[in-house]
Amino acid sequence: MKITGKATILAMAVTILALIIGTGGAALAGPKSPDGFLGKPWGAKVSDFPQARHSVDLGGGYSVYVTPADLTPLLGSVQALSGPRLIFGQKGLEKVYILFPGRDYQAVETHLNQVLGHQTPLVYELMNGQPFFGESALWHIGKNTRIIL
């Protein structure tokens, strides 16, 4: 998986909802307010998430933290399998991954369509400089935030 830039999410037994940013300061607090995730801006420091617990180092200066959160604005009635995974790099918070059961994919997609409008189909993505083909749904939120399902 490429840590910087775009990412493609595979739907298998577990589906991942990814909140991904470019190189700006937008973020996601709720689906329609692209100014922070959990009320914190992209680029926030780990210390800005006092309940976050270190999960793993990914190398290249990237680390994953897990934190409790109310994900109802993003998932609707679907329960996440764990707290969101916050990806921190040298620029602070860069990405967020949310895991939920694959059987709930349609419910999450329907919920996001209701709160964000219809998505853009995402069929082709570059991963590590190589083309990757798969089906995903993409929503652009603000200038620098994308949601990929």
Side-chain angles (χ1 to χ4, degrees), residues 56-136:
V56 65
D57 287 320
L58 299 174
Y62 291 92
S63 295
V64 179
Y65 287 76
V66 179
T67 190
D70 175 13
L71 299 173
T72 306
L74 292 168
L75 300 182
S77 62
V78 172
Q79 291 292 320
L81 296 174
S82 67
R85 283 156 169 65
L86 311 175
I87 312 297
F88 290 90
Q90 293 176 353
K91 296 179 182 179
L93 179 64
E94 293 189 20
K95 298 182 183 190
V96 177
Y97 291 90
I98 299 169
L99 304 174
F100 62 89
R103 68 180 177 269
D104 293 327
Y105 181 95
Q106 187 64 49
V108 172
E109 182 180 32
T110 299
H111 175 74
L112 289 173
N113 279 331
Q114 289 172 350
V115 296
L116 299 175
H118 287 286
Q119 80 272 8
T120 303
L122 181 65
V123 178
Y124 169 86
E125 188 90 36
L126 282 179
M127 287 184 67
N128 296 322
Q130 299 297 315
F132 177 86
F133 295 91
E135 284 189 48
S136 298

Side-chain angles (χ1 to χ4, degrees), residues 14 17 23 64 131:
V14 171
L17 171 66
T23 56
V64 179

